[in-house]
Amino acid sequence: MTFYLPVFLIVAANVFYNICAKSIPETVNPFLSLLVTYLVSALVTLILLFVTGLDENFTDALEKINWSSVILGISVVALEFGYITAYRVGWNVSICSVVANIALAVLLVPIGILFYKEVITMSQLIGIILCMAGLFFINQ
């Protein structure tokens, strides 16, 4: 159960994420909406930081942060702006996420192989090919 719980959380959060991104009124500036989103996120994160605590003092913990946290923040803004924009230009909530996530998965395969020394099995390769075929048919 511990192995699948994070994936369940990702899926559940993504359901709400896409419903909320699709539900942002078109009259609202998307960056104002994202600002409110990040203020709420910062508050929740701060509360969770205090609840879970740190194993060391805050300054020492902060010194361990590297470039990836900054790039992740930029990536999250781009991701969310992309979804908001996709829904505003007419993508269906039932298709947009499928297309984006399959394309993402296919792009991450060579990255996993080249940079993280991951191994792709024959059954996984067949699944990737089926995903690419699915992308083709979804976009017809």
Side-chain angles (χ1 to χ4, degrees):
M1 182 63 180
T2 304
F3 184 75
Y4 293 105
L5 190 58
V7 174
F8 174 76
L9 180 61
I10 291 167
V11 171
N14 262 296
V15 168
F16 286 102
Y17 171 91
N18 281 280
I19 290 169
C20 291
K22 178 89 171 159
S23 300
I24 294 171
E26 289 193 27
T27 56
V28 172
N29 182 302
F31 296 110
L32 178 60
S33 176
L34 288 175
L35 177 63
V36 171
T37 300
Y38 293 126
L39 289 173
V40 171
S41 297
L43 179 62
V44 170
T45 304
L46 184 63
I47 291 168
L48 290 173
L49 179 62
F50 282 118
V51 168
T52 60
L54 290 172
D55 295 336
E56 56 196 332
N57 73 46
F58 184 77
T59 306
D60 290 341
L62 197 56
E63 287 176 356
K64 293 178 181 177
I65 299 292
N66 68 0
W67 61 269
S68 62
S69 294
V70 174
I71 301 302
L72 181 61
I74 294 168
S75 299
V76 169
V77 171
L79 171 72
E80 293 179 354
F81 180 68
Y83 269 109
I84 291 169
T85 304
Y87 291 136
R88 286 186 177 185
V89 299
W91 278 86
N92 293 327
V93 73
S94 60
I95 298 298
C96 182
S97 184
V98 172
V99 170
N101 283 304
I102 291 172
L104 170 65
V106 170
L107 288 171
L108 285 175
V109 169
I111 292 170
I113 293 169
L114 294 172
F115 296 104
Y116 298 101
K117 309 298 183 229
E118 297 174 357
V119 177
I120 302 299
T121 66
M122 185 54 73
S123 63
Q124 290 170 325
L125 184 60
I126 292 168
I128 291 164
I129 292 168
L130 290 173
C131 284
M132 291 171 68
L135 257 178
F136 173 78
F137 286 114
I138 284 174
N139 286 301
Q140 292 301 309

